[in-house]
Amino acid sequence: MSAGQQVKFYQVGSFAAGNRLLGPELQSDQADPGRANALTSGHRACQGCGEALGARYVLDAAQRAAGGRVIAVNATGCLEVFSTPYPETSWQLPWLHSLFGNAPAVAAGVAAALRVKGRTDVRVVGQGGDGGTVDIGLGCLSGMFERNDDVLYVCYDNEAYMNTGVQRSGATPPTARTATTQAVGEEPGAPFGQGKSLPLIAMAHEIPYVATATVAGLRDLEAKVHRAMGMRGARYLHVLVPCPLGWGTASCDTVRIARLAEQSGLFPVFEAVDGEVTDVTPIRRRVPVEEYLRPQKRYAHLFEPEPRADVIARIQRAADRNIARFGLLGKPPGQRPGAYEEAPS
């Protein structure tokens, strides 16, 4: 299934939905009984872990796209720790563990070695969390982009250093409470004006492919992996993966929270080729940012003991800016909206 292609699902008499009439070419990789199961049972992720879900879909799709010939290079972080407790592993593909900040360099080295050996059939996927990607590994990643190394690098963004105790990272959003940005003072939580957007930084390198996705759109995620694996050169995929432990959300709400991030405009979902946005996932049912913030304990201080309407309004303006910048309501980019207004259903 190509990225952005819509598939019609039908109610099947219960709370489930499906479409048994889909041909094999439109079915998801996870619907294939012969799927790779690249990340299989036995890992020790928390219940409801968005990263475990995202990684399984990404690598199964990569395996299918490459005919099972994939080497994964993994930075230190949650994904590495919960999947490879010595002497065990949950990975069913060639898998290398690198340091916290050099996974892009190691992946580039693997790709170079394969090129020297003439193995164009074997593909390389690098992966890490936001700490190892947005912060510690940024220099190595930028070098990988600049050299246009033949690597698909995937960042599983849970917006903090979750493995070491929920400390702030460069991807932590403003006002979010972490162990190092406590909910105290006049402007509690992570400060406004800090951090960085790695997808925009990747686009500035004008690499062949940049995309964002969430675990609320798993078919979209698979499609983007297939599109990226059909290209050569440096490619970057940034996946929002909510963390129930660090975000203070119910383990059953991971997909719902990811969808609210997308539908509020705080996490724009798009694709870019050679530095230019080529496609966006439009918001189907726009929600105010408050609907996304309230279920998360990391934002509890914005609502108790008294609502911080001024801070919430500032976050809403950031979402509005994303909506205008990427045209997420189907309007041409750049038409900045005014006050929040409900999109047509």
Side-chain angles (χ1 to χ4, degrees):
M1 185 186 74
S2 63
Q5 184 172 353
Q6 297 297 314
V7 174
K8 179 67 175 177
F9 291 101
Y10 302 93
Q11 199 73 26
V12 294
S14 67
F15 289 111
N19 187 340
R20 296 180 180 179
L21 302 179
L22 287 178
E25 72 283 357
L26 290 180
Q27 293 178 5
S28 72
D29 295 333
Q30 293 298 309
D32 182 358
R35 63 185 181 275
N37 282 324
L39 180 62
T40 191
S41 61
H43 65 71
R44 304 178 185 185
C46 298
Q47 188 177 42
C49 174
E51 189 168 35
L53 178 62
R56 178 163 63 88
Y57 271 73
V58 164
L59 286 175
D60 278 1
Q63 287 272 74
R64 189 175 189 181
R69 294 179 292 274
V70 174
I71 297 175
V73 177
N74 211 125
T76 295
C78 272
L79 183 58
E80 168 263 324
V81 169
F82 71 62
S83 64
T84 59
Y86 181 83
E88 303 165 359
T89 180
S90 293
W91 296 103
Q92 297 197 107
L93 79 168
W95 182 92
L96 286 77
H97 169 216
S98 72
L99 301 178
F100 214 145
N102 71 346
V106 173
V110 173
L114 291 169
R115 185 174 65 251
V116 169
K117 292 172 69 68
R119 294 298 305 272
T120 58
D121 58 322
V122 181
R123 310 302 300 278
V124 181
V125 175
Q127 51 186 10
D130 52 287
T133 303
V134 176
D135 293 340
I136 304 174
L138 182 58
C140 289
L141 187 62
S142 178
M144 191 199 95
F145 291 162
E146 185 179 345
R147 294 185 302 270
N148 199 29
D149 294 313
D150 189 23
V151 174
L152 168 60
Y153 189 92
V154 185
C155 174
Y156 302 105
D157 182 10
N158 53 26
E159 300 187 336
Y161 289 86
M162 300 306 182
N163 176 53
T164 54
V166 195
Q167 295 90 1
R168 177 200 172 275
S169 80
T172 301
T175 77
R177 183 210 67 218
T178 70
T180 51
T181 55
Q182 295 292 326
V184 296
E186 289 297 318
E187 296 189 7
F192 283 93
Q194 295 187 9
K196 58 195 81 89
S197 170
L198 215 296
L200 295 182
I201 293 173
M203 287 172 58
H205 288 76
E206 299 189 357
I207 60 176
Y209 186 71
V210 175
T212 64
T214 80
V215 292
L218 292 168
R219 291 180 65 86
D220 174 67
L221 176 58
E222 286 184 342
K224 286 171 177 172
V225 172
H226 277 272
R227 176 169 291 184
M229 294 297 288
M231 300 177 176
R232 293 284 178 172
R235 291 142 289 144
Y236 180 72
L237 179 58
H238 194 101
V239 188
L240 184 69
V241 291
C243 171
L245 178 66
W247 293 21
T249 54
S251 59
C252 61
D253 283 343
T254 297
V255 169
R256 183 175 75 90
I257 295 297
R259 183 174 294 113
L260 290 172
E262 181 180 339
Q263 298 299 305
S264 66
L266 285 174
F267 189 87
V269 178
F270 65 91
E271 292 179 287
V273 174
D274 298 329
E276 298 292 336
V277 174
T278 57
D279 193 22
V280 301
T281 298
I283 292 174
R284 296 179 60 188
R285 185 185 73 86
R286 188 180 179 189
V287 300
V289 296
E290 183 174 342
E291 192 169 327
Y292 167 70
L293 301 174
R294 271 193 181 277
Q296 304 179 53
K297 291 182 180 178
R298 62 176 179 163
Y299 293 114
H301 54 281
L302 298 183
F303 303 97
E304 300 174 357
E306 295 180 356
R308 290 294 305 272
D310 57 331
V311 178
I312 296 171
R314 192 171 178 182
I315 297 172
Q316 182 66 62
R317 288 195 295 271
D320 293 345
R321 182 169 183 263
N322 284 336
I323 289 170
R325 170 184 281 183
F326 294 98
L328 298 178
L329 293 180
K331 300 176 182 178
Q335 292 186 3
R336 185 179 180 88
Y340 171 80
E341 60 181 57
E342 185 70 44
S345 58

